[in-house]
Amino acid sequence: MKTKFTKSVLTAILALALMGQASALAAPGGFKDVPSSHWAYNTIMWGQQNKVVEGFQDQTFRPSQGVNESQFLAMLLRSFKIDIPTLQAGEGWSTSYYTLAKSLNYPVSGNTNAPITRTNVAELVAATQGKNYTGTNAIKYMLAKGLAQGKTGNSVDGYQGNDSLTRAEAVVFIKNVIDKRASNVLLPRPSTPSDPSELEGIKDGSESVVDRDVEKIGKGEDQELAGLAMKVNNALKGTGFKVFYNVEQGALGIDDPKTNRVMFVYFEKPMHDGTIVQYSHLVDSGAKEMRSDYVNAMVKAMNSLGLPVGDTFKKTLDDADWDGKTRTVKIGNAQYSINPTHAGDGFIAVKQ
């Protein structure tokens, strides 16, 4: 009997700690559950090689499992390649990381097993850069400094701060922060809130489309991307869905005006180590099946973009959504690797 792949499964307590357990290390060559086709393969391998992340004693990484506060904190602090305080007898593996964080006035709750949200991540990252921002301002800081991209748009709403992170997403987050942070030295967090004036220009509202055929987001022009957006728009005529494209992010998406959800994003250039499609909200909260209208819109969009898919693809997508396992299907000359992250959410890497 199949078990529905839900967020509760992702946030189950890990059998072994993500960090700090010598017996839980995976072999240097990689992890048996992270194939080269996985959307975050290169980044996860980078994390292992740089000792930012570790795996489990069964040689797995478990990329779709959720990350809690202690695990992300350890990953973030390790990325600065600093000396961590020595553990005392009887202390838990994460105690030394919390000791350092608290000495720097970092915003940690101490609830080690609580799933960390994207807003919590923004507050912690801002703290490492010597800033005291919370909530919306912390998210604005991440977007203003290029330390993160919104999931559905370059705005506070598009960042989706209430969402939790999987282990794979956390590594990608850390890598992006390392590549773009201003300080490679851990800075203490000020005791008073930082000046929000440097956060100007970041929108509070989502960048969902307005009631017109295709909306362009961002400055500049991208005629090729605009042409692809028009193809998708034509394919979706009569569905009620709206199409937009984002020049800065090199992506186009499909928005449901009734729910203000972006359920499909196509990247003009592959992102995340081969990912070309991100899908979201295909399963409503509490539902057991994927929304057929969203799935059908996704299939129409992919066909119009030169990614021919049909019933075989939909069946494979449904199977992956049920158990959360990566599945690969070959259709014509294209190979689709479907990598679910939550019920109804995931990424698709395409090789042609």
Side-chain angles (χ1 to χ4, degrees):
M1 183 176 180
K2 294 190 291 185
T3 300
K4 182 64 178 175
F5 181 57
T6 63
K7 187 172 291 186
S8 62
V9 174
L10 292 176
T11 55
I13 299 175
L14 301 180
L16 292 171
L18 173 66
M19 315 297 293
Q21 296 290 339
S23 63
L25 293 177
F31 306 100
K32 64 184 183 183
D33 61 343
V34 185
S36 59
S37 60
H38 190 279
W39 68 271
Y41 173 80
N42 289 340
T43 306
I44 292 173
M45 293 303 100
W46 164 88
Q48 183 191 30
Q49 293 163 7
N50 288 274
K51 299 181 179 180
V52 174
V53 297
E54 296 173 354
F56 298 87
Q57 61 185 3
D58 62 357
Q59 307 300 307
T60 64
F61 181 73
R62 306 176 193 177
S64 295
Q65 283 192 331
V67 173
N68 60 38
E69 181 183 84
S70 60
Q71 294 161 355
F72 185 84
L73 176 65
M75 292 169 65
L76 180 62
L77 296 183
R78 282 193 172 194
S79 74
F80 284 85
K81 300 186 182 300
I82 60 172
D83 293 328
I84 303 298
T86 303
L87 283 174
Q88 301 299 314
E91 292 182 330
W93 73 268
S94 63
T95 300
S96 55
Y97 295 100
Y98 277 96
T99 298
L100 177 59
K102 290 176 181 178
S103 72
L104 294 169
N105 190 36
Y106 288 174
V108 290
S109 69
N111 187 354
T112 60
N113 289 322
I116 193 167
T117 67
R118 289 169 62 88
T119 296
N120 299 148
V121 166
E123 293 171 345
L124 271 173
V125 171
T128 67
Q129 303 300 289
K131 302 294 183 180
N132 183 340
Y133 290 124
T134 59
T136 296
N137 281 343
I139 294 172
K140 286 185 175 181
Y141 178 80
M142 295 287 282
L143 298 175
K145 301 302 179 182
L147 296 170
Q149 291 184 339
K151 293 181 72 174
T152 60
N154 196 43
S155 67
V156 173
D157 284 354
Y159 180 85
Q160 297 190 6
N162 290 328
D163 285 4
S164 57
L165 292 179
T166 64
R167 286 164 58 85
E169 291 171 333
V171 182
V172 173
F173 228 122
I174 293 291
K175 179 66 164 58
N176 188 60
V177 169
I178 288 176
D179 290 343
K180 298 183 179 181
R181 64 193 179 196
S183 174
N184 289 320
V185 177
L186 278 176
L187 300 176
R189 181 176 184 248
S191 58
T192 58
S194 298
D195 184 356
S197 62
E198 64 179 317
L199 309 178
E200 295 178 358
I202 302 299
K203 298 179 181 179
D204 289 315
S206 67
E207 294 181 276
S208 57
V209 298
V210 296
D211 188 19
R212 53 181 172 173
D213 279 345
V214 175
E215 183 194 16
K216 183 187 76 171
I217 297 172
K219 300 177 180 179
E221 296 294 335
D222 189 328
Q223 294 300 321
E224 183 175 354
L225 185 61
L228 292 174
M230 287 303 300
K231 288 184 178 180
V232 174
N233 184 68
N234 290 335
L236 297 183
K237 288 291 187 183
T239 63
F241 298 134
K242 301 296 180 180
V243 178
F244 66 93
Y245 68 99
N246 189 309
V247 176
E248 277 87 359
Q249 295 182 1
L252 64 87
I254 303 173
D255 175 85
D256 181 357
K258 294 180 180 179
T259 61
N260 201 30
R261 294 174 176 174
V262 175
M263 92 284 284
F264 174 88
V265 176
Y266 169 83
F267 300 103
E268 187 177 22
K269 296 180 180 179
M271 300 177 67
H272 299 311
D273 309 323
T275 292
I276 199 167
V277 168
Q278 177 181 358
Y279 60 90
S280 305
H281 307 296
L282 299 189
V283 176
D284 287 330
S285 178
K288 296 181 179 180
E289 305 293 340
M290 292 190 295
R291 289 188 54 156
S292 60
D293 55 344
Y294 282 11
V295 174
N296 289 334
M298 176 177 168
V299 167
K300 289 180 179 179
M302 293 178 69
N303 283 320
S304 70
L305 291 166
L307 301 172
V309 293
D311 290 341
T312 299
F313 171 82
K314 289 195 286 186
K315 175 63 166 57
T316 306
L317 177 67
D318 185 58
D319 290 342
D321 182 71
W322 270 100
D323 59 19
K325 295 181 179 179
T326 297
R327 278 179 168 76
T328 300
V329 58
K330 188 171 183 179
I331 303 174
N333 295 323
Q335 179 174 288
Y336 301 85
S337 179
I338 302 171
N339 304 282
T341 56
H342 299 285
D345 299 353
F347 299 87
I348 302 173
V350 182
K351 293 183 179 180
Q352 293 180 298

